[in-house]
Amino acid sequence: MKLVVLGLSLGSSWGNGHATTFRALLRAYAERGHDILFLEREVPWYAGAHRDLTDPDFCRLAYYRSLAALDDWHAEIAAADAVIVGSYVPDGVAVARFVQAHAQGVTAFYDIDTPVTLAKLARGEHEYLSPAVIPGFDVYLSFTGGPTLTRIEQRYGAPRARALYCSVDADAYRPLGGETRWDLTYLGTYSDDRQPTLERLLIEPARRRPDLRFAVAGPQYPDTIDWPANVERIEHLPPAEHAAFYSASRLTLNVTRADMIAAGWSPSVRLFEAGACGTPILSDRWDGIETLFAPGEAILLADTTDDALAALAIDAGPIGQAAREQVLAGHTARHRAEELERHLQEASQDKGRRTMGMATTDQEAPLTLVAGGAGFIGSHLCAALLARGEHVVCLDNLQTARASNLRALEAHPRFEFVRADVVDPLPASILHRAARFTRVYNLACAASPPQYQEDPEHTMLTCVLGTDHLLRLAEQAGARFLLTSTSEVYGDPEIHPQREDYRGFVNCTGPRACYDEGKRAAEAMTFDFARTGRADVRVARIFNTYGPHMHPDDGRVVSNLICQALSGRPITIYGDGTQTRSFCYVSDLVDGLMRLMESEIDGMEPINLGNPNEMPVNDLLDRIVGLTGAEAPVEYRPLPVDDPRRRRPDIARAAALLGWAPKVSLDEGLAATCAWFATELAEGEALACAAE
Ligand code: NAD
């Protein structure tokens, strides 16, 4: 395998733990027969005397001076079987985009700082990683495991997140025998958040047991600390002397940083190094430690000074032996290299399945394509189609999708996901079996104004080129095609309610035009395909729809108000709140879309789908406040440009042709939506807390 790694540093271990991690991992990886190129940004603080590895014998090490200079390596990146970008790489977001644009093989992000990274993302700081680039990595490898991995997948859309912990060099760390010099030791740099635990589990026990000997090795401890006389201080202990230090300790203490405790499943390298030396470990307690060392058998856990004193009172020798066995069985660099190889291979197979079209679906069954199927409405549509027995292929570029929408669907045996952008020609995995498609739903398009205005050109192209590509597929397959158009084709309407024969009042020069005019063009093209006999088409004009699976922060009125109400933030109303909207619950809308697709009507007429129950936005707010008990103040902001004042569908045509009418009342729908958002926000807060 050809592997390219873009990491913070391999050449200098000065002031960073990354170089040691990469050196151990990549040496072991090279021993497995792989060819490795490490690309390191040339920065002054790791240059000169601070460079302590110039010519590694296990990989090629090259430096690039600037982002622009990275371009010299694009051929190597493109040819690699896998490319890894590490945390804290300078200009990491741009590097990630460069890698994702050029790499043909698997791409991975290796987070050696997961709790710090997540805390930064929660604060909106994108120093080396941003939410936008996470879904573009095939696998997110993390120093933290456990539930954080699920959160990285669900909240940030990583296709897969896997633990790849730190490890130990078992040749350097082994029992050295010799005299036991201390009863309890601690090896670690001073940190404010670890100090209270050190005080409780080592310093206070030292005061109470003046007959025992203690040692604390590591720099930066303030002079103000009142060390008992029986605590030896060692300011600097070079790595080469760590094994001797542990070997001379009857018991050694592991103290974990607060953010790692909060996240759980975050072993520090100290645990593996001390364990490899056969030194019994007394550790603070955090979730997931039991998955590494069996408490009471291979590790002792302590909360209080009394716990530490109790540990000092026993012969913990067998516990040290058991810890060493567990480290040698699973936590050496060799183990990590094997895990890395496995994660990259799995991601590669998964990528093959996702993009090369190795269908998970039955080889003969007719297929339904849902473009945009990972989004809000699309995910409900896919679920309803699966429930009806269809084989569903969801094509989505994940631009505005929620990863958890997809995750719930991916477990289904008749569901297949293909990641692609409809602006590009459709992937071979779709075109190779075009004949099997009998239905093509086109929902692919960001629907919330902030999202579709973020890249207006892409929105317009999605509507026009995307619809063209999907119509051509329908033509080739002889499939029926359904376009999800929008009430926005009516613009800021002059007639009320809006009937399908109303031609609209749209501003073609304003910021909403990319969407409104894009959808109008998509309709025009769809009807042209029908008019010229190239495809059997249906066009739904969807009015405001709401429900579970909406993006919490996509700026749509229902999700905005509910999320603000639930989180206690000030509630924003754009305009004075007297503008009206009609809100349709998503299950009603999906029912309407499926009826329309299956109806044998003349497809040359668009059909409104929405709930005619019109109300001022202020009324909607009152209901949400009633449901959530929110007490936050309401802030009124200016109405966005071209925001329609009134909106209500005339659904007489849908009723007559499809026998369709919405069934879910606003109160029922809002209650279900609030309950869903409450669960989502609770999970999000848990993540934010875990990350801080
Ligand atoms: P959404 O943003 O949740 O879903 C859109 C999906 O399309 C996302 O999964 C996104 O990743 C995907 N997508 C966007 N551009 C793409 C591209 N170029 N290639 C491939 N995939 C792409 O929005 P939604 O609310 O579920 O809307 C679905 C459809 O319904 C959209 O076409 C929208 O215009 C239409 N619509 C929705 C509403 C509403 O109230 N939700 C109203 C009117 C029309």
Side-chain angles (χ1 to χ4, degrees), residues 185-431:
T185 59
Y186 175 69
L187 172 54
T189 306
Y190 172 82
S191 95
D192 277 344
D193 73 344
R194 282 193 296 233
Q195 192 59 18
T197 309
L198 188 68
E199 175 72 36
R200 205 167 57 246
L201 301 185
L202 188 144
I203 299 177
E204 184 55 25
R207 284 193 194 104
R208 296 212 207 153
R209 290 294 305 267
D211 55 317
L212 300 182
R213 289 160 304 159
F214 299 78
V216 173
Q220 292 169 23
Y221 285 84
D223 294 340
T224 49
I225 296 174
D226 179 17
W227 298 104
N230 55 341
V231 178
E232 188 176 333
R233 273 286 296 126
I234 303 168
E235 180 68 21
H236 178 63
L237 193 70
E241 293 173 30
H242 287 187
F245 178 78
Y246 286 129
S247 296
S249 310
R250 183 159 74 83
L251 199 60
T252 197
L253 185 64
N254 175 57
V255 185
T256 310
R257 278 197 343 236
D259 54 358
M260 291 162 69
I261 291 183
W265 285 265
S266 301
S268 52
V269 71
R270 179 190 311 110
L271 271 177
F272 298 140
E273 291 177 349
C277 293
T279 307
I281 304 164
L282 176 70
S283 175
D284 51 6
R285 199 184 294 272
W286 34 270
D287 289 343
I289 193 166
E290 70 287 352
T291 61
L292 302 162
F293 297 98
E297 289 171 28
I299 199 160
L300 294 166
L301 300 180
D303 300 306
T304 62
T305 300
D306 286 343
D307 294 340
L309 290 169
L312 282 164
I314 63 167
D315 170 16
I319 289 181
Q321 258 315 311
R324 176 166 161 78
E325 280 161 26
Q326 294 203 358
V327 171
L328 295 186
H331 302 295
T332 67
R334 188 172 49 78
H335 293 102
R336 293 297 174 261
E338 282 169 17
E339 288 167 25
L340 174 62
E341 192 180 272
R342 197 168 60 242
H343 294 323
L344 294 176
Q345 274 168 357
E346 280 174 9
S348 155
Q349 281 158 8
D350 196 38
K351 192 175 171 117
R353 182 173 76 73
R354 284 160 186 261
T355 58
M356 308 307 284
M358 290 158 61
T360 53
T361 44
D362 167 331
Q363 293 307 300
E364 299 303 324
L367 301 174
T368 298
L369 184 76
V370 183
F376 159 48
I377 298 175
S379 56
H380 287 278
L381 176 63
C382 288
L385 293 167
L386 290 167
R388 204 169 64 175
E390 298 194 20
H391 286 74
V392 176
V393 178
C394 163
L395 182 147
D396 202 298
N397 66 354
L398 302 184
Q399 180 187 329
T400 56
R402 294 177 63 263
S404 51
N405 293 349
L406 199 56
R407 212 131 310 279
L409 293 166
E410 273 189 321
H412 199 289
R414 276 184 280 102
F415 180 83
E416 181 188 338
F417 176 68
V418 175
R419 184 163 178 182
D421 193 312
V422 292
V423 169
D424 302 325
L426 294 181
S429 62
I430 299 288
L431 294 178

